[in-house]
Amino acid sequence: MIHSLKEIYGEQASAQEQRYHEAAAEFEAMFGTKPQRFFSAPGRTEIGGNHTDHNNGCVLAAGVSLDVIAAVIPTDDGIVRIKSQGFPMDTVDSTDYEIKLEEENTSAALIRGVLAGMKRRGYNTGGFTAYTTSNVLKGSGLSSSAAFEVLVGTILSGLYNDFAVSPVEIAQISQFAENIYFGKPSGLMDQMASSVGSFITIDFADPANPVIEAIDFDFEASGHKLCIVDTKGNHADLTPEYAAIPNEMKQIAQFFDSDVLRNVKREEIIANISLIREKFGDRALLRALHFFGDSERVGKEAAALKSHDFKRFLSLVNESGDSSFKYLQNIYSTSNPTEQGLSLALFLASDILNGEGACRVHGGGFAGTIQAFVPEYKLLEFKRRMERVFGKESCYVLSIRPFGGTEVML
């Protein structure tokens, strides 16, 4: 659970070293002492399985090169103090696990939730002071909140549990914090990809014991770059849109006396289409059908990567994007149909790629980002045209990070 800058960042290690030194200087200026330890947790990119995790489906994901880092010192007063760059200090008593309604949707709720999750599983908690800085875009589908939760969990694991808390447990604790304390009904994929890192498939058939498989694939040798395009959409008041997706899927599962769609067969849905339409409407039906297709597609994508059939993999990524647009319907908000930045970005990406590469919605949808696999020879054109529409630095070129949450050795 301790890795060097070179192991984590590769050729970017030197630039990242400066970032850590700057964080240490900010810590010392703020708290009057030098930090003793450093930690990092990456953002993530979902590659396959859009909105499948919350119904116990399968996903293909990866940790990315953008991360949240922390300069840290343990304290003996039991108080967690986290000052994140650009935000007020959060102060949380590590022995107070009570849910605070006034903290809902705040970073303090995430911290308290992680502490409570650790305690519920029998792990030690304690105080620490940290200064954090992040280059994980908020609202980007790269899961800045999951990276923050995983960072807090990794710090507590390192400081007080000798790294005995596994990456899977840290992800589960992080999801608990986000669901119960923060108040967002997220699945487990974001936290798992951030905590574990690398290319991974996750099968959530048993959420308490998800099956995780690392995929040995050299993306750098594929001749493509992974681009995330931030369309700068407005995320205000989108929580009901996000929540409707798992809720509608689970309504249909309950029609078959199940809590989640994973325990229902696609054939049962097809056989009961008329009844389901009448009871739940067409959108819920289409979202359920998307679940089955995209969850199954994950295994095909993983097989394509393992066999180094990158052309097949790209075709499957496009299929996933098509299913999200048509059936999942998370490309724009029905409450604000005049704003369709994701639809526009997907049109532009398809126009530029012209049958090559792949593109799809990225993350939860409705606003935010798309994902594209861009042939290297088209990268400059792709970036130029996207930034002409969505603004400077709206197109991010990422690499896949081999590690999840970790302590960093400078």
Side-chain angles (χ1 to χ4, degrees):
M1 290 293 289
I2 303 177
H3 295 99
S4 69
L5 290 170
K6 183 67 175 177
E7 289 175 311
I8 298 169
Y9 300 107
E11 61 185 25
Q12 298 297 318
S14 296
Q16 291 294 330
E17 183 176 16
Q18 179 61 30
R19 182 175 168 223
Y20 279 86
H21 286 314
E22 290 173 358
E26 289 289 340
F27 183 100
E28 185 172 6
M30 198 167 297
F31 302 112
T33 187
K34 293 181 182 294
Q36 296 178 1
R37 299 168 77 171
F38 298 89
F39 294 83
S40 162
R44 68 97 179 108
T45 183
E46 167 213 288
I47 298 166
N50 194 215
H51 279 283
T52 57
D53 57 327
H54 46 58
N55 269 259
N56 295 20
C58 300
V59 298
L60 172 65
V64 297
S65 49
L66 303 180
D67 63 349
V68 186
I69 67 170
V72 179
I73 192 169
T75 60
D76 56 12
D77 60 2
I79 303 299
V80 174
R81 301 175 183 85
I82 300 181
K83 174 66 173 74
S84 297
Q85 184 181 35
F87 296 92
M89 177 121 61
D90 287 308
T91 303
V92 176
D93 185 341
S94 67
T95 64
D96 181 1
Y97 310 114
E98 183 179 346
I99 296 173
K100 314 288 185 186
L101 293 179
E102 66 274 15
E103 287 182 352
E104 189 172 343
N105 293 310
T106 69
S107 52
L110 296 177
I111 298 166
R112 195 179 304 278
V114 172
L115 287 162
M118 286 279 187
K119 195 66 177 178
R120 287 172 80 246
R121 289 173 177 259
Y123 290 111
N124 299 322
T125 61
F128 64 87
T129 298
Y131 174 79
T132 78
T133 179
S134 174
N135 57 17
V136 183
L137 308 170
K138 289 187 178 297
S140 65
L142 296 170
S143 295
S144 57
S145 61
F148 181 79
E149 297 152 12
V150 168
L151 180 71
V152 174
T154 303
I155 292 170
L156 290 170
S157 180
L159 294 185
Y160 295 107
N161 297 278
D162 294 323
F163 291 111
V165 193
S166 72
V168 169
E169 288 180 292
I170 289 175
Q172 292 167 331
I173 289 166
S174 298
Q175 184 202 23
F176 166 80
E178 186 154 328
N179 289 178
I180 306 303
Y181 282 74
F182 188 80
K184 182 179 178 182
S186 69
L188 185 57
M189 186 268 287
D190 295 352
Q191 292 84 358
M192 194 69 73
S194 176
S195 188
V196 176
S198 189
F199 270 113
I200 56 170
T201 58
I202 314 169
D203 186 337
F204 290 110
D206 178 2
N209 299 283
V211 177
I212 303 165
E213 181 184 4
I215 298 174
D216 183 16
F217 180 79
D218 184 6
F219 179 70
E220 295 301 312
S222 70
H224 290 71
K225 295 295 185 182
L226 171 62
C227 293
I228 302 296
V229 180
D230 183 5
T231 65
K232 313 291 178 68
N234 182 8
H235 287 257
D237 302 321
L238 286 178
T239 296
E241 298 270 16
Y242 294 124
I245 294 177
N247 289 344
E248 290 179 9
M249 289 182 180
K250 288 176 180 179
Q251 283 174 355
I252 293 180
Q254 289 161 9
F255 179 80
F256 295 96
D257 299 319
S258 176
D259 292 331
V260 292
L261 284 174
R262 180 60 179 263
N263 300 326
V264 179
K265 289 182 168 53
R266 181 179 181 274
E267 292 74 20
E268 293 178 302
I269 303 284
I270 299 297
N272 289 275
I273 279 182
S274 296
L275 285 173
I276 292 170
R277 289 186 71 196
E278 182 178 349
K279 188 171 179 64
F280 302 108
D282 290 338
R283 188 175 73 171
L285 169 62
L286 289 167
R287 285 175 165 173
L289 293 171
H290 163 83
F291 167 86
F292 290 106
D294 225 33
S295 187
E296 181 182 348
R297 198 172 286 115
V298 166
K300 297 176 182 178
E301 289 173 330
L305 289 174
K306 290 175 188 176
S307 64
H308 303 284
D309 188 350
F310 199 65
K311 184 176 180 180
R312 171 63 174 157
F313 167 76
L314 293 174
S315 176
L316 290 163
V317 171
N318 279 323
E319 285 183 18
S320 176
D322 188 55
S323 181
S324 292
F325 211 145
K326 289 179 179 177
Y327 311 130
L328 184 61
Q329 299 177 41
N330 66 333
I331 306 301
Y332 61 88
S333 168
T334 56
S335 62
N336 185 19
T338 61
E339 183 177 315
Q340 297 194 30
L342 293 181
S343 304
L344 178 58
L346 290 169
F347 168 81
L348 291 170
S350 297
D351 188 56
I352 299 164
L353 294 173
N354 192 27
E356 298 184 88
C359 62
R360 66 193 286 276
V361 64
H362 185 246
F366 300 111
T369 61
I370 69 160
Q371 174 191 79
F373 292 90
V374 182
E376 290 179 354
Y377 83 96
K378 286 191 171 183
L379 181 62
L380 292 179
E381 179 195 2
F382 186 91
K383 186 175 176 66
R384 177 182 59 81
R385 288 185 59 182
M386 286 296 180
E387 294 191 342
R388 189 170 65 190
V389 175
F390 298 109
K392 188 177 179 181
E393 297 182 352
S394 59
C395 181
Y396 293 82
V397 183
L398 306 182
S399 60
I400 303 301
R401 168 167 157 155
F403 304 106
T406 183
E407 184 169 358
V408 182
M409 179 176 61
L410 296 186

Short mmCIF file of all heavy atoms in Angstrom, two decimals, residues 32-69:
data_model
loop_
_atom_site.label_atom_id
_atom_site.label_comp_id
_atom_site.label_asym_id
_atom_site.label_seq_id
_atom_site.Cartn_x
_atom_site.Cartn_y
_atom_site.Cartn_z
N GLY A 32 1.84 25.09 10.81
CA GLY A 32 3.04 25.39 11.58
C GLY A 32 3.96 24.21 11.81
O GLY A 32 4.86 24.27 12.66
N THR A 33 3.77 23.12 11.10
CA THR A 33 4.63 21.95 11.21
C THR A 33 4.67 21.23 9.88
O THR A 33 3.80 21.45 9.02
CB THR A 33 4.12 20.99 12.31
OG1 THR A 33 5.07 19.95 12.51
CG2 THR A 33 2.77 20.39 11.95
N LYS A 34 5.67 20.40 9.70
CA LYS A 34 5.79 19.68 8.43
C LYS A 34 4.89 18.43 8.44
O LYS A 34 4.72 17.79 9.48
CB LYS A 34 7.24 19.25 8.19
CG LYS A 34 8.21 20.39 7.97
CD LYS A 34 9.60 19.85 7.72
CE LYS A 34 10.62 20.98 7.55
NZ LYS A 34 10.33 21.76 6.32
N PRO A 35 4.32 18.06 7.31
CA PRO A 35 3.55 16.81 7.25
C PRO A 35 4.50 15.62 7.35
O PRO A 35 5.68 15.71 6.99
CB PRO A 35 2.89 16.87 5.87
CG PRO A 35 3.80 17.73 5.05
CD PRO A 35 4.35 18.76 6.00
N GLN A 36 3.97 14.53 7.87
CA GLN A 36 4.79 13.34 8.05
C GLN A 36 4.59 12.31 6.94
O GLN A 36 5.51 11.54 6.63
CB GLN A 36 4.47 12.68 9.40
CG GLN A 36 4.83 13.54 10.60
CD GLN A 36 4.45 12.88 11.91
OE1 GLN A 36 3.93 11.76 11.95
NE2 GLN A 36 4.73 13.58 13.01
N ARG A 37 3.39 12.28 6.35
CA ARG A 37 3.08 11.25 5.37
C ARG A 37 2.24 11.83 4.24
O ARG A 37 1.60 12.88 4.41
CB ARG A 37 2.37 10.06 6.05
CG ARG A 37 3.25 9.43 7.11
CD ARG A 37 2.51 8.45 8.00
NE ARG A 37 2.27 7.17 7.34
CZ ARG A 37 1.81 6.09 7.98
NH1 ARG A 37 1.54 6.14 9.28
NH2 ARG A 37 1.61 4.96 7.31
N PHE A 38 2.22 11.10 3.12
CA PHE A 38 1.48 11.56 1.95
C PHE A 38 0.64 10.39 1.40
O PHE A 38 1.08 9.24 1.42
CB PHE A 38 2.43 12.05 0.86
CG PHE A 38 3.25 13.23 1.28
CD1 PHE A 38 4.47 13.06 1.92
CD2 PHE A 38 2.80 14.53 1.05
CE1 PHE A 38 5.23 14.15 2.32
CE2 PHE A 38 3.54 15.62 1.45
CZ PHE A 38 4.76 15.44 2.09
N PHE A 39 -0.55 10.73 0.91
CA PHE A 39 -1.47 9.73 0.40
C PHE A 39 -2.10 10.22 -0.90
O PHE A 39 -2.14 11.43 -1.17
CB PHE A 39 -2.58 9.43 1.42
CG PHE A 39 -2.09 8.78 2.69
CD1 PHE A 39 -1.56 9.54 3.72
CD2 PHE A 39 -2.16 7.41 2.84
CE1 PHE A 39 -1.11 8.95 4.89
CE2 PHE A 39 -1.72 6.79 4.01
CZ PHE A 39 -1.19 7.57 5.03
N SER A 40 -2.62 9.27 -1.69
CA SER A 40 -3.23 9.61 -2.97
C SER A 40 -4.35 8.62 -3.28
O SER A 40 -4.26 7.43 -2.94
CB SER A 40 -2.18 9.55 -4.09
OG SER A 40 -2.78 9.47 -5.36
N ALA A 41 -5.41 9.12 -3.94
CA ALA A 41 -6.48 8.26 -4.45
C ALA A 41 -6.91 8.79 -5.81
O ALA A 41 -7.12 10.00 -5.97
CB ALA A 41 -7.66 8.23 -3.49
N PRO A 42 -7.03 7.91 -6.80
CA PRO A 42 -7.29 8.37 -8.16
C PRO A 42 -8.78 8.56 -8.46
O PRO A 42 -9.65 7.97 -7.83
CB PRO A 42 -6.74 7.23 -9.02
CG PRO A 42 -6.99 6.01 -8.19
CD PRO A 42 -6.78 6.45 -6.77
N GLY A 43 -9.03 9.39 -9.48
CA GLY A 43 -10.34 9.38 -10.11
C GLY A 43 -10.48 8.11 -10.91
O GLY A 43 -9.55 7.29 -10.99
N ARG A 44 -11.66 7.93 -11.49
CA ARG A 44 -11.86 6.70 -12.24
C ARG A 44 -12.58 6.99 -13.55
O ARG A 44 -13.25 8.01 -13.71
CB ARG A 44 -12.67 5.70 -11.42
CG ARG A 44 -14.13 6.14 -11.19
CD ARG A 44 -15.06 5.50 -12.19
NE ARG A 44 -16.46 5.86 -11.99
CZ ARG A 44 -17.13 6.67 -12.79
NH1 ARG A 44 -16.54 7.25 -13.80
NH2 ARG A 44 -18.41 6.91 -12.58
N THR A 45 -12.43 6.10 -14.47
CA THR A 45 -13.22 6.17 -15.70
C THR A 45 -13.99 4.87 -15.83
O THR A 45 -13.45 3.78 -15.67
CB THR A 45 -12.33 6.40 -16.94
OG1 THR A 45 -13.16 6.52 -18.09
CG2 THR A 45 -11.32 5.30 -17.16
N GLU A 46 -15.29 5.00 -16.06
CA GLU A 46 -16.13 3.83 -16.36
C GLU A 46 -16.04 3.60 -17.86
O GLU A 46 -16.25 4.52 -18.64
CB GLU A 46 -17.56 4.10 -15.94
CG GLU A 46 -18.55 3.11 -16.48
CD GLU A 46 -19.89 3.75 -16.76
OE1 GLU A 46 -20.61 4.08 -15.81
OE2 GLU A 46 -20.21 3.96 -17.95
N ILE A 47 -15.75 2.38 -18.26
CA ILE A 47 -15.58 2.06 -19.67
C ILE A 47 -16.75 1.23 -20.20
O ILE A 47 -17.17 1.37 -21.34
CB ILE A 47 -14.24 1.34 -19.89
CG1 ILE A 47 -13.08 2.26 -19.47
CG2 ILE A 47 -14.06 0.90 -21.33
CD1 ILE A 47 -11.76 1.58 -19.31
N GLY A 48 -17.29 0.37 -19.36
CA GLY A 48 -18.44 -0.44 -19.75
C GLY A 48 -19.33 -0.70 -18.56
O GLY A 48 -18.86 -0.78 -17.42
N GLY A 49 -20.63 -0.82 -18.80
CA GLY A 49 -21.57 -1.03 -17.71
C GLY A 49 -22.07 0.28 -17.15
O GLY A 49 -21.83 0.61 -15.99
N ASN A 50 -22.77 1.06 -17.96
CA ASN A 50 -23.28 2.36 -17.53
C ASN A 50 -24.55 2.16 -16.71
O ASN A 50 -25.55 1.65 -17.21
CB ASN A 50 -23.55 3.24 -18.75
CG ASN A 50 -23.75 4.70 -18.43
OD1 ASN A 50 -24.54 5.38 -19.05
ND2 ASN A 50 -23.04 5.21 -17.43
N HIS A 51 -24.51 2.57 -15.45
CA HIS A 51 -25.64 2.41 -14.53
C HIS A 51 -26.07 0.95 -14.39
O HIS A 51 -27.26 0.63 -14.44
CB HIS A 51 -26.82 3.27 -14.97
CG HIS A 51 -26.72 4.71 -14.56
ND1 HIS A 51 -26.97 5.14 -13.28
CD2 HIS A 51 -26.39 5.81 -15.28
CE1 HIS A 51 -26.80 6.47 -13.21
NE2 HIS A 51 -26.43 6.88 -14.41
N THR A 52 -25.10 0.07 -14.20
CA THR A 52 -25.42 -1.34 -13.96
C THR A 52 -25.06 -1.78 -12.55
O THR A 52 -25.63 -2.75 -12.04
CB THR A 52 -24.67 -2.25 -14.96
OG1 THR A 52 -23.26 -1.99 -14.85
CG2 THR A 52 -25.13 -2.00 -16.38
N ASP A 53 -24.14 -1.08 -11.89
CA ASP A 53 -23.64 -1.53 -10.59
C ASP A 53 -24.72 -1.52 -9.51
O ASP A 53 -24.77 -2.40 -8.67
CB ASP A 53 -22.43 -0.70 -10.14
CG ASP A 53 -22.71 0.79 -10.06
OD1 ASP A 53 -23.52 1.30 -10.86
OD2 ASP A 53 -22.11 1.46 -9.20
N HIS A 54 -25.62 -0.52 -9.55
CA HIS A 54 -26.60 -0.41 -8.48
C HIS A 54 -27.69 -1.47 -8.56
O HIS A 54 -28.52 -1.60 -7.66
CB HIS A 54 -27.22 0.99 -8.45
CG HIS A 54 -27.64 1.52 -9.77
ND1 HIS A 54 -28.54 0.89 -10.59
CD2 HIS A 54 -27.26 2.66 -10.44
CE1 HIS A 54 -28.71 1.60 -11.69
NE2 HIS A 54 -27.94 2.67 -11.64
N ASN A 55 -27.72 -2.26 -9.64
CA ASN A 55 -28.61 -3.41 -9.73
C ASN A 55 -27.83 -4.72 -9.80
O ASN A 55 -28.29 -5.70 -10.38
CB ASN A 55 -29.56 -3.26 -10.91
CG ASN A 55 -30.85 -2.56 -10.52
OD1 ASN A 55 -31.89 -3.19 -10.31
ND2 ASN A 55 -30.80 -1.24 -10.37
N ASN A 56 -26.62 -4.68 -9.20
CA ASN A 56 -25.77 -5.86 -9.04
C ASN A 56 -25.28 -6.43 -10.37
O ASN A 56 -25.08 -7.64 -10.51
CB ASN A 56 -26.48 -6.96 -8.25
CG ASN A 56 -26.77 -6.58 -6.82
OD1 ASN A 56 -26.79 -5.40 -6.48
ND2 ASN A 56 -27.04 -7.56 -5.97
N GLY A 57 -25.06 -5.56 -11.36
CA GLY A 57 -24.55 -5.98 -12.65
C GLY A 57 -23.04 -6.00 -12.70
O GLY A 57 -22.35 -6.07 -11.67
N CYS A 58 -22.50 -5.89 -13.91
CA CYS A 58 -21.05 -5.93 -14.14
C CYS A 58 -20.59 -4.60 -14.72
O CYS A 58 -21.34 -3.94 -15.45
CB CYS A 58 -20.69 -7.05 -15.11
SG CYS A 58 -21.17 -8.69 -14.54
N VAL A 59 -19.35 -4.22 -14.41
CA VAL A 59 -18.78 -3.00 -14.96
C VAL A 59 -17.33 -3.25 -15.36
O VAL A 59 -16.66 -4.14 -14.83
CB VAL A 59 -18.82 -1.81 -13.97
CG1 VAL A 59 -20.24 -1.45 -13.60
CG2 VAL A 59 -18.00 -2.10 -12.73
N LEU A 60 -16.87 -2.46 -16.31
CA LEU A 60 -15.46 -2.40 -16.68
C LEU A 60 -15.02 -0.97 -16.39
O LEU A 60 -15.64 -0.02 -16.87
CB LEU A 60 -15.26 -2.72 -18.16
CG LEU A 60 -13.86 -2.50 -18.74
CD1 LEU A 60 -12.85 -3.45 -18.10
CD2 LEU A 60 -13.88 -2.70 -20.26
N ALA A 61 -13.98 -0.83 -15.58
CA ALA A 61 -13.55 0.51 -15.16
C ALA A 61 -12.04 0.53 -15.02
O ALA A 61 -11.36 -0.50 -15.12
CB ALA A 61 -14.22 0.88 -13.83
N ALA A 62 -11.52 1.73 -14.76
CA ALA A 62 -10.07 1.87 -14.57
C ALA A 62 -9.79 3.11 -13.74
O ALA A 62 -10.51 4.11 -13.83
CB ALA A 62 -9.35 1.96 -15.90
N GLY A 63 -8.74 3.04 -12.94
CA GLY A 63 -8.24 4.24 -12.28
C GLY A 63 -7.49 5.08 -13.29
O GLY A 63 -6.86 4.54 -14.22
N VAL A 64 -7.56 6.40 -13.14
CA VAL A 64 -6.92 7.29 -14.10
C VAL A 64 -5.83 8.13 -13.44
O VAL A 64 -5.66 8.12 -12.22
CB VAL A 64 -7.96 8.21 -14.79
CG1 VAL A 64 -8.95 7.39 -15.58
CG2 VAL A 64 -8.66 9.11 -13.77
N SER A 65 -5.13 8.89 -14.26
CA SER A 65 -3.95 9.62 -13.80
C SER A 65 -4.28 10.87 -12.98
O SER A 65 -3.38 11.44 -12.37
CB SER A 65 -3.09 10.00 -15.00
OG SER A 65 -3.87 10.60 -16.02
N LEU A 66 -5.52 11.31 -12.97
CA LEU A 66 -5.91 12.43 -12.11
C LEU A 66 -6.23 11.91 -10.72
O LEU A 66 -6.86 10.86 -10.59
CB LEU A 66 -7.12 13.17 -12.70
CG LEU A 66 -6.97 13.72 -14.12
CD1 LEU A 66 -8.24 14.42 -14.55
CD2 LEU A 66 -5.78 14.65 -14.21
N ASP A 67 -5.82 12.64 -9.67
CA ASP A 67 -6.03 12.12 -8.32
C ASP A 67 -6.19 13.22 -7.29
O ASP A 67 -6.01 14.41 -7.56
CB ASP A 67 -4.87 11.19 -7.93
CG ASP A 67 -3.51 11.90 -7.87
OD1 ASP A 67 -3.41 13.06 -8.32
OD2 ASP A 67 -2.55 11.28 -7.38
N VAL A 68 -6.58 12.80 -6.09
CA VAL A 68 -6.61 13.67 -4.91
C VAL A 68 -5.43 13.25 -4.05
O VAL A 68 -5.25 12.05 -3.77
CB VAL A 68 -7.92 13.51 -4.10
CG1 VAL A 68 -7.96 14.53 -2.97
CG2 VAL A 68 -9.13 13.66 -4.98
N ILE A 69 -4.62 14.21 -3.62
CA ILE A 69 -3.47 13.89 -2.76
C ILE A 69 -3.62 14.61 -1.42
O ILE A 69 -4.33 15.62 -1.32
CB ILE A 69 -2.13 14.27 -3.42
CG1 ILE A 69 -2.01 15.80 -3.57
CG2 ILE A 69 -1.98 13.58 -4.77
CD1 ILE A 69 -0.61 16.25 -4.00
#
